[in-house]
Amino acid sequence: MKKKRKLRTGTILLVLIALTAAVLFLLNRPMIVIEMNGEAETTAEAGQEYTDAGAKAWYTGKIFRFIRSEIECKTDSQVDTSKTGDYSVTYTAEKNNVKGEAVRKVTVKDTIAPVITLVSDPEHYTRYNHPYEEEGYKAEDAFEGDLSAQVTAEEADGKVTYRVSDSSGNTAETVREIVYDDREPPVITLEGGSEVVAFNGSTWEDKFTAADDCDGDVTAKVTVEGSVDTSKNGSYTLTYRVSDEHGNSTELTRTVFVKNKGESSSAADKGHIVYLTFDDGPGGHTDRLLDILAKYDVKVTFFVTGAFPGSAHCIKRAYEEGHTVAVHTYTHDYSKVYASPEAYWNDFNKVNDIIEKQTGHRSTLFRFPGGSSNTVSKKYCKGVVTAVAQQAEAKGYKYFDWNVSSGDAGGTKETDVVYQNVISGIQSNAKRGRASVVLQHDVKGYSVDAVARIIQWGLQNGYTFMPLSENSPTAHHNIAN
């Protein structure tokens, strides 16, 4: 009986085990599990390449998942980092008609702030009591590109603060320390000039002003050494001195001639007229030169060419601002210009066409390339300058040479030397009682750099700047061909 009982019990257990295994087998239906590397929700930086972390796919059962095999996992990525927003990366796998799918959410965001780059000139400075003059800046965003136009600049307490934000709200800020300096001395202007006449028995009135680029009107700070006795004929020297708040000083002298009424002083007046003239332009420095001339309200003469078509607008500007525009040469190629009198006038008319187009008028004033005394023209046509000079008079044209050379045509490339050459020439002419016709070239930046100083010196010393006209002195050279 005991053996039968044990056998029955064993049989029942085997049946139960078999039934349980059968049930589990039936319940362990096949499935695909996709495991993503990394987070199911992640972010990507706008404008940068997105690299997906990937995923693996397994073929397994719902119950016995430890029994599995890796199968191919396919990826379909829709992430476009050129646009912000939410995107999906879909992973799929399939085996024995069993399919699996998983989705990763990728949010494209712009989290990087723009970069502001400041342009800084080591020679740049801001005058005391003046606003900062911008040197330049650029703002670049890795996603949106150039944002320079959206930069705001705020000046306060000796600093300029620059700010810019992109469309995602990322903000950049940088600060520039303003460099203040005062490098220019005051300018003393003597009414009547550095040489004046007072008549015997009259009352001498000393009139002058002084201005500083930082401090403004400093006339009250001027000290005057010397005196004038109008009861005695003779010359008297007055010395004027002034300093600004930062130690820059200016000193000028004035000579007062006390004489009897009726004595002529016209020669001295004529010697204090200066005609600044500029050849070979307009070019890359002409607009800057016109700005300088406008600042001092000085009118000059431009002998223009057709060499730089991109600067032709300067002819119109010069004319409208009261300067004289005259003919120089279209090509400045001596072999073409001086090939014959006919070639010269063909070149001449081409320049005058440009002048007429810009100003509405043709010019009757001109300057020979190289001046009327040039000898290079002999290589191309004997007597061509003589012939053109004679024909010009018949045509109603007038040519001008010069009696003061700046040396910028080959003698020097130094601004200080140009300045010294010009003022020395003007002084020499003034002693002879004759006006100065100064030759410079507005295509030479170092020559243009000297103009403000020449004008300041001239105004301080009683010279008058004028543009050439048909009635002006021609300063003719001796024609060499």
Side-chain angles (χ1 to χ4, degrees):
M1 288 295 292
K2 289 183 178 179
K3 287 182 179 180
K4 288 182 178 181
R5 235 182 249 136
K6 287 182 179 178
L7 180 62
R8 192 180 302 119
T9 301
T11 302
I12 293 170
L13 288 174
L14 289 173
V15 171
L16 289 174
I17 292 171
L19 288 173
T20 301
V23 170
L24 290 175
F25 179 79
L26 291 173
L27 292 176
N28 188 41
R29 299 170 66 183
M31 64 179 294
I32 292 175
V33 176
I34 297 177
E35 298 177 351
M36 288 185 289
N37 298 325
E39 300 295 329
E41 293 188 5
T42 187
T43 60
E45 185 62 40
Q48 297 185 9
E49 183 179 357
Y50 170 73
T51 301
D52 189 70
K56 290 184 178 181
W58 306 92
Y59 185 76
T60 185
K62 286 190 176 181
I63 296 178
F64 303 118
R65 294 194 180 190
F66 57 90
I67 302 174
R68 63 180 186 175
S69 61
E70 187 175 355
I71 61 175
E72 180 185 6
C73 182
K74 297 180 180 180
T75 305
D76 179 17
S77 175
Q78 303 295 325
V79 179
D80 180 2
T81 58
S82 68
K83 299 177 182 179
T84 58
D86 293 332
Y87 297 88
S88 297
V89 178
T90 303
Y91 308 93
T92 58
E94 181 178 359
K95 184 176 180 179
N96 298 332
N97 293 323
V98 179
K99 297 180 180 180
E101 180 179 292
V103 178
R104 189 196 308 274
K105 179 183 177 183
V106 180
T107 302
V108 176
K109 296 181 178 181
D110 177 14
T111 64
I112 301 176
V115 176
I116 302 174
T117 304
L118 301 181
V119 175
S120 296
D121 180 356
E123 297 299 319
H124 186 276
Y125 69 94
T126 299
R127 293 174 292 168
Y128 292 100
N129 305 319
H130 285 71
Y132 170 70
E133 295 179 4
E134 184 58 58
E135 295 166 79
Y137 52 80
K138 188 173 184 179
E140 288 283 343
D141 186 71
F143 180 54
E144 297 179 27
D146 190 353
L147 298 180
S148 301
Q150 300 177 35
V151 175
T152 62
E154 182 180 350
E155 180 180 346
D157 301 323
K159 299 177 181 178
V160 181
T161 302
Y162 303 84
R163 296 183 181 89
V164 67
S165 298
D166 60 23
S167 60
S168 298
N170 301 301
T171 300
E173 178 179 304
T174 190
V175 176
R176 186 199 302 273
E177 296 281 349
I178 301 175
V179 177
Y180 290 98
D181 203 352
D182 181 1
R183 303 179 188 178
E184 297 293 332
V187 176
I188 301 174
T189 302
L190 304 177
E191 186 174 322
S194 60
E195 295 182 359
V196 296
V197 174
F199 295 118
N200 191 299
S202 65
T203 301
W204 163 247
E205 293 185 36
D206 194 7
K207 295 183 179 180
F208 56 85
T209 59
D212 183 70
D213 62 343
C214 292
D215 302 342
D217 187 351
V218 290
T219 304
K221 295 184 177 181
V222 177
T223 61
V224 183
E225 181 182 317
S227 61
V228 178
D229 184 355
T230 56
S231 67
K232 296 180 181 179
N233 288 356
S235 62
Y236 299 85
T237 299
L238 302 176
T239 302
Y240 305 79
R241 298 184 181 90
V242 66
S243 297
D244 60 25
E245 291 293 334
H246 303 97
N248 300 303
S249 300
T250 297
E251 179 178 308
L252 285 182
T253 60
R254 186 208 303 259
T255 302
V256 181
F257 299 96
V258 177
K259 58 178 66 177
N260 296 325
K261 287 186 178 181
E263 293 186 44
S264 174
S265 61
S266 59
D269 293 340
K270 185 176 180 181
H272 279 74
I273 296 176
V274 177
Y275 300 92
L276 295 179
T277 71
F278 297 89
D279 286 9
D280 294 1
H285 301 285
T286 307
D287 267 318
R288 180 164 64 91
L289 172 58
L290 287 167
D291 291 341
I292 294 169
L293 299 173
K295 176 180 179 180
Y296 293 98
D297 194 25
V298 165
K299 311 303 179 186
V300 304
T301 302
F302 292 92
F303 289 99
V304 301
T305 73
F308 306 100
S311 297
H313 67 278
C314 294
I315 296 176
K316 176 180 175 67
R317 179 184 170 187
Y319 178 81
E320 291 179 345
E321 293 182 5
H323 304 287
T324 295
V325 178
V327 173
H328 190 36
T329 169
Y330 183 77
T331 64
H332 217 297
D333 184 338
Y334 285 13
S335 67
K336 295 179 180 179
V337 176
Y338 289 124
S340 67
E342 293 76 17
Y344 185 91
W345 290 115
N346 286 337
D347 181 276
F348 181 100
N349 289 330
K350 285 185 178 180
V351 186
N352 231 346
D353 289 344
I354 295 173
I355 294 174
E356 184 177 26
K357 181 178 180 180
Q358 294 294 327
T359 69
H361 303 276
R362 299 182 77 81
S363 178
T364 59
L365 311 183
F366 73 101
R367 173 172 284 161
F368 285 101
S372 66
S373 60
N374 84 83
T375 57
V376 180
S377 58
K378 290 181 179 180
K379 294 169 54 179
Y380 309 108
C381 180
K382 186 177 180 180
V384 64
V385 177
T386 299
V388 170
Q390 293 171 350
Q391 293 167 6
E393 185 175 356
K395 292 174 181 285
Y397 296 130
K398 189 171 185 178
Y399 74 89
F400 292 82
D401 288 316
W402 59 89
N403 57 20
V404 176
S405 175
S406 66
D408 67 357
T412 183
K413 291 186 179 180
E414 299 293 329
T415 298
D416 288 344
V417 176
V418 170
Y419 169 75
Q420 289 297 333
N421 287 343
V422 172
I423 64 172
S424 295
I426 293 172
Q427 289 173 322
S428 178
N429 283 328
K431 290 178 181 178
R432 295 173 173 82
R434 65 185 184 188
S436 292
V437 182
V438 180
L439 172 65
Q440 288 186 253
H441 295 78
D442 51 323
V443 294
K444 307 290 180 67
Y446 57 86
S447 189
V448 172
D449 290 342
V451 172
R453 291 170 61 193
I454 292 169
I455 292 173
Q456 291 171 1
W457 174 86
L459 295 176
Q460 291 171 355
N461 288 277
Y463 290 90
T464 300
F465 294 92
M466 298 178 64
L468 290 172
S469 68
E470 291 193 357
N471 298 319
S472 302
T474 57
H476 279 172
H477 300 167
N478 293 322
I479 295 178
N481 183 31

PDB file of all heavy atoms in Angstrom, residues 12 15 23 25 29 33 88 123 138 147 178 211 213 263 289 322 328 381 389 400 403:
ATOM      1  N   ILE A  12       1.343  12.276  -9.795  1.00  0.00           N
ATOM      2  CA  ILE A  12       0.634  13.567  -9.724  1.00  0.00           C
ATOM      3  C   ILE A  12       1.602  14.727  -9.846  1.00  0.00           C
ATOM      4  O   ILE A  12       1.361  15.719 -10.544  1.00  0.00           O
ATOM      5  CB  ILE A  12      -0.167  13.654  -8.409  1.00  0.00           C
ATOM      6  CG1 ILE A  12      -1.310  12.632  -8.432  1.00  0.00           C
ATOM      7  CG2 ILE A  12      -0.721  15.048  -8.204  1.00  0.00           C
ATOM      8  CD1 ILE A  12      -2.035  12.447  -7.112  1.00  0.00           C
ATOM      9  N   VAL A  15       2.756  15.200 -13.361  1.00  0.00           N
ATOM     10  CA  VAL A  15       1.685  15.809 -14.172  1.00  0.00           C
ATOM     11  C   VAL A  15       1.586  17.289 -13.902  1.00  0.00           C
ATOM     12  O   VAL A  15       1.441  18.110 -14.812  1.00  0.00           O
ATOM     13  CB  VAL A  15       0.345  15.087 -13.890  1.00  0.00           C
ATOM     14  CG1 VAL A  15      -0.806  15.831 -14.553  1.00  0.00           C
ATOM     15  CG2 VAL A  15       0.400  13.648 -14.386  1.00  0.00           C
ATOM     16  N   VAL A  23       1.888  25.515 -19.360  1.00  0.00           N
ATOM     17  CA  VAL A  23       1.255  26.832 -19.185  1.00  0.00           C
ATOM     18  C   VAL A  23       2.270  27.946 -19.369  1.00  0.00           C
ATOM     19  O   VAL A  23       2.034  28.952 -20.052  1.00  0.00           O
ATOM     20  CB  VAL A  23       0.563  26.911 -17.810  1.00  0.00           C
ATOM     21  CG1 VAL A  23       0.113  28.333 -17.525  1.00  0.00           C
ATOM     22  CG2 VAL A  23      -0.616  25.958 -17.755  1.00  0.00           C
ATOM     23  N   PHE A  25       5.059  27.824 -20.990  1.00  0.00           N
ATOM     24  CA  PHE A  25       5.485  27.880 -22.386  1.00  0.00           C
ATOM     25  C   PHE A  25       4.473  28.672 -23.216  1.00  0.00           C
ATOM     26  O   PHE A  25       4.838  29.469 -24.084  1.00  0.00           O
ATOM     27  CB  PHE A  25       5.638  26.459 -22.924  1.00  0.00           C
ATOM     28  CG  PHE A  25       6.048  26.425 -24.381  1.00  0.00           C
ATOM     29  CD1 PHE A  25       7.373  26.649 -24.758  1.00  0.00           C
ATOM     30  CD2 PHE A  25       5.104  26.201 -25.373  1.00  0.00           C
ATOM     31  CE1 PHE A  25       7.741  26.649 -26.100  1.00  0.00           C
ATOM     32  CE2 PHE A  25       5.467  26.197 -26.708  1.00  0.00           C
ATOM     33  CZ  PHE A  25       6.791  26.423 -27.079  1.00  0.00           C
ATOM     34  N   ARG A  29       5.151  34.193 -24.537  1.00  0.00           N
ATOM     35  CA  ARG A  29       5.007  34.567 -25.945  1.00  0.00           C
ATOM     36  C   ARG A  29       6.190  35.427 -26.378  1.00  0.00           C
ATOM     37  O   ARG A  29       6.717  36.235 -25.609  1.00  0.00           O
ATOM     38  CB  ARG A  29       3.701  35.309 -26.138  1.00  0.00           C
ATOM     39  CG  ARG A  29       2.484  34.459 -25.783  1.00  0.00           C
ATOM     40  CD  ARG A  29       1.214  35.243 -25.729  1.00  0.00           C
ATOM     41  NE  ARG A  29       0.853  35.742 -27.058  1.00  0.00           N
ATOM     42  CZ  ARG A  29      -0.199  36.513 -27.287  1.00  0.00           C
ATOM     43  NH1 ARG A  29      -0.970  36.885 -26.265  1.00  0.00           N
ATOM     44  NH2 ARG A  29      -0.481  36.913 -28.502  1.00  0.00           N
ATOM     45  N   VAL A  33      12.389  43.574 -27.304  1.00  0.00           N
ATOM     46  CA  VAL A  33      12.696  44.637 -26.340  1.00  0.00           C
ATOM     47  C   VAL A  33      13.780  45.538 -26.941  1.00  0.00           C
ATOM     48  O   VAL A  33      14.824  45.053 -27.382  1.00  0.00           O
ATOM     49  CB  VAL A  33      13.183  44.053 -25.007  1.00  0.00           C
ATOM     50  CG1 VAL A  33      13.591  45.173 -24.055  1.00  0.00           C
ATOM     51  CG2 VAL A  33      12.087  43.186 -24.399  1.00  0.00           C
ATOM     52  N   SER A  88      11.821  63.572 -32.820  1.00  0.00           N
ATOM     53  CA  SER A  88      11.790  62.180 -32.375  1.00  0.00           C
ATOM     54  C   SER A  88      12.828  61.360 -33.122  1.00  0.00           C
ATOM     55  O   SER A  88      13.056  61.574 -34.320  1.00  0.00           O
ATOM     56  CB  SER A  88      10.408  61.565 -32.622  1.00  0.00           C
ATOM     57  OG  SER A  88       9.423  62.245 -31.869  1.00  0.00           O
ATOM     58  N   GLU A 123      46.063 103.428 -30.924  1.00  0.00           N
ATOM     59  CA  GLU A 123      46.321 104.870 -31.002  1.00  0.00           C
ATOM     60  C   GLU A 123      45.060 105.690 -30.740  1.00  0.00           C
ATOM     61  O   GLU A 123      45.113 106.919 -30.699  1.00  0.00           O
ATOM     62  CB  GLU A 123      46.880 105.225 -32.388  1.00  0.00           C
ATOM     63  CG  GLU A 123      48.229 104.585 -32.703  1.00  0.00           C
ATOM     64  CD  GLU A 123      49.304 105.024 -31.713  1.00  0.00           C
ATOM     65  OE1 GLU A 123      49.332 106.216 -31.359  1.00  0.00           O
ATOM     66  OE2 GLU A 123      50.089 104.169 -31.273  1.00  0.00           O
ATOM     67  N   LYS A 138      31.724  93.717 -33.253  1.00  0.00           N
ATOM     68  CA  LYS A 138      31.012  92.711 -34.038  1.00  0.00           C
ATOM     69  C   LYS A 138      30.414  91.699 -33.076  1.00  0.00           C
ATOM     70  O   LYS A 138      31.054  91.314 -32.094  1.00  0.00           O
ATOM     71  CB  LYS A 138      31.949  92.020 -35.025  1.00  0.00           C
ATOM     72  CG  LYS A 138      31.241  91.099 -36.005  1.00  0.00           C
ATOM     73  CD  LYS A 138      32.205  90.589 -37.060  1.00  0.00           C
ATOM     74  CE  LYS A 138      31.467  89.754 -38.101  1.00  0.00           C
ATOM     75  NZ  LYS A 138      32.393  89.259 -39.148  1.00  0.00           N
ATOM     76  N   LEU A 147      24.940  89.334 -35.452  1.00  0.00           N
ATOM     77  CA  LEU A 147      23.938  90.112 -34.692  1.00  0.00           C
ATOM     78  C   LEU A 147      24.455  91.524 -34.389  1.00  0.00           C
ATOM     79  O   LEU A 147      23.942  92.193 -33.481  1.00  0.00           O
ATOM     80  CB  LEU A 147      23.586  89.389 -33.388  1.00  0.00           C
ATOM     81  CG  LEU A 147      22.947  88.008 -33.497  1.00  0.00           C
ATOM     82  CD1 LEU A 147      22.677  87.456 -32.103  1.00  0.00           C
ATOM     83  CD2 LEU A 147      21.661  88.062 -34.312  1.00  0.00           C
ATOM     84  N   ILE A 178      37.178 103.246 -21.563  1.00  0.00           N
ATOM     85  CA  ILE A 178      37.486 104.366 -22.453  1.00  0.00           C
ATOM     86  C   ILE A 178      38.843 104.967 -22.075  1.00  0.00           C
ATOM     87  O   ILE A 178      39.103 105.242 -20.899  1.00  0.00           O
ATOM     88  CB  ILE A 178      36.397 105.443 -22.385  1.00  0.00           C
ATOM     89  CG1 ILE A 178      35.047 104.856 -22.786  1.00  0.00           C
ATOM     90  CG2 ILE A 178      36.751 106.627 -23.280  1.00  0.00           C
ATOM     91  CD1 ILE A 178      33.889 105.816 -22.637  1.00  0.00           C
ATOM     92  N   ALA A 211      40.984 128.588 -28.201  1.00  0.00           N
ATOM     93  CA  ALA A 211      40.052 127.474 -28.003  1.00  0.00           C
ATOM     94  C   ALA A 211      40.840 126.170 -27.877  1.00  0.00           C
ATOM     95  O   ALA A 211      41.881 125.996 -28.511  1.00  0.00           O
ATOM     96  CB  ALA A 211      39.071 127.391 -29.163  1.00  0.00           C
ATOM     97  N   ASP A 213      40.490 121.808 -27.758  1.00  0.00           N
ATOM     98  CA  ASP A 213      39.589 120.741 -28.192  1.00  0.00           C
ATOM     99  C   ASP A 213      38.916 120.024 -27.035  1.00  0.00           C
ATOM    100  O   ASP A 213      37.881 119.386 -27.216  1.00  0.00           O
ATOM    101  CB  ASP A 213      40.325 119.746 -29.091  1.00  0.00           C
ATOM    102  CG  ASP A 213      41.467 119.037 -28.390  1.00  0.00           C
ATOM    103  OD1 ASP A 213      41.902 119.520 -27.325  1.00  0.00           O
ATOM    104  OD2 ASP A 213      41.931 118.005 -28.899  1.00  0.00           O
ATOM    105  N   GLU A 263      50.794 154.973 -45.479  1.00  0.00           N
ATOM    106  CA  GLU A 263      51.824 154.016 -45.868  1.00  0.00           C
ATOM    107  C   GLU A 263      51.168 152.712 -46.307  1.00  0.00           C
ATOM    108  O   GLU A 263      50.267 152.210 -45.668  1.00  0.00           O
ATOM    109  CB  GLU A 263      52.781 153.746 -44.691  1.00  0.00           C
ATOM    110  CG  GLU A 263      53.627 154.949 -44.312  1.00  0.00           C
ATOM    111  CD  GLU A 263      54.643 154.589 -43.256  1.00  0.00           C
ATOM    112  OE1 GLU A 263      55.269 153.531 -43.374  1.00  0.00           O
ATOM    113  OE2 GLU A 263      54.794 155.369 -42.289  1.00  0.00           O
ATOM    114  N   LEU A 289      39.839 114.263 -46.367  1.00  0.00           N
ATOM    115  CA  LEU A 289      40.351 115.620 -46.557  1.00  0.00           C
ATOM    116  C   LEU A 289      39.206 116.619 -46.567  1.00  0.00           C
ATOM    117  O   LEU A 289      39.298 117.688 -45.941  1.00  0.00           O
ATOM    118  CB  LEU A 289      41.130 115.699 -47.873  1.00  0.00           C
ATOM    119  CG  LEU A 289      41.570 117.100 -48.330  1.00  0.00           C
ATOM    120  CD1 LEU A 289      42.445 117.767 -47.278  1.00  0.00           C
ATOM    121  CD2 LEU A 289      42.306 117.014 -49.665  1.00  0.00           C
ATOM    122  N   GLY A 322      31.906 124.229 -51.997  1.00  0.00           N
ATOM    123  CA  GLY A 322      32.533 125.523 -52.279  1.00  0.00           C
ATOM    124  C   GLY A 322      33.973 125.478 -52.738  1.00  0.00           C
ATOM    125  O   GLY A 322      34.623 126.527 -52.851  1.00  0.00           O
ATOM    126  N   HIS A 328      43.045 118.068 -64.322  1.00  0.00           N
ATOM    127  CA  HIS A 328      44.459 117.686 -64.257  1.00  0.00           C
ATOM    128  C   HIS A 328      44.771 116.743 -65.419  1.00  0.00           C
ATOM    129  O   HIS A 328      45.373 117.150 -66.401  1.00  0.00           O
ATOM    130  CB  HIS A 328      44.781 117.032 -62.916  1.00  0.00           C
ATOM    131  CG  HIS A 328      46.250 116.836 -62.686  1.00  0.00           C
ATOM    132  ND1 HIS A 328      47.207 117.730 -63.122  1.00  0.00           N
ATOM    133  CD2 HIS A 328      46.937 115.837 -62.069  1.00  0.00           C
ATOM    134  CE1 HIS A 328      48.412 117.295 -62.785  1.00  0.00           C
ATOM    135  NE2 HIS A 328      48.279 116.137 -62.153  1.00  0.00           N
ATOM    136  N   CYS A 381      56.771 114.194 -77.533  1.00  0.00           N
ATOM    137  CA  CYS A 381      56.426 115.156 -78.588  1.00  0.00           C
ATOM    138  C   CYS A 381      57.122 116.481 -78.296  1.00  0.00           C
ATOM    139  O   CYS A 381      56.836 117.124 -77.277  1.00  0.00           O
ATOM    140  CB  CYS A 381      54.912 115.349 -78.672  1.00  0.00           C
ATOM    141  SG  CYS A 381      54.374 116.506 -79.940  1.00  0.00           S
ATOM    142  N   ALA A 389      49.843 125.319 -74.183  1.00  0.00           N
ATOM    143  CA  ALA A 389      49.706 126.580 -73.432  1.00  0.00           C
ATOM    144  C   ALA A 389      49.165 127.688 -74.326  1.00  0.00           C
ATOM    145  O   ALA A 389      48.312 128.485 -73.911  1.00  0.00           O
ATOM    146  CB  ALA A 389      51.050 126.973 -72.838  1.00  0.00           C
ATOM    147  N   PHE A 400      47.582 126.585 -64.147  1.00  0.00           N
ATOM    148  CA  PHE A 400      48.243 126.983 -62.900  1.00  0.00           C
ATOM    149  C   PHE A 400      49.387 126.020 -62.594  1.00  0.00           C
ATOM    150  O   PHE A 400      49.243 124.807 -62.746  1.00  0.00           O
ATOM    151  CB  PHE A 400      47.248 126.952 -61.725  1.00  0.00           C
ATOM    152  CG  PHE A 400      46.189 128.004 -61.801  1.00  0.00           C
ATOM    153  CD1 PHE A 400      45.052 127.800 -62.586  1.00  0.00           C
ATOM    154  CD2 PHE A 400      46.294 129.190 -61.113  1.00  0.00           C
ATOM    155  CE1 PHE A 400      44.060 128.760 -62.669  1.00  0.00           C
ATOM    156  CE2 PHE A 400      45.311 130.161 -61.185  1.00  0.00           C
ATOM    157  CZ  PHE A 400      44.185 129.948 -61.971  1.00  0.00           C
ATOM    158  N   ASN A 403      54.056 127.550 -56.438  1.00  0.00           N
ATOM    159  CA  ASN A 403      55.306 128.138 -55.932  1.00  0.00           C
ATOM    160  C   ASN A 403      55.659 127.636 -54.534  1.00  0.00           C
ATOM    161  O   ASN A 403      56.595 128.135 -53.913  1.00  0.00           O
ATOM    162  CB  ASN A 403      55.257 129.676 -55.962  1.00  0.00           C
ATOM    163  CG  ASN A 403      54.083 130.236 -55.172  1.00  0.00           C
ATOM    164  OD1 ASN A 403      53.510 129.563 -54.312  1.00  0.00           O
ATOM    165  ND2 ASN A 403      53.706 131.481 -55.477  1.00  0.00           N
TER     166      ASN A 403
END
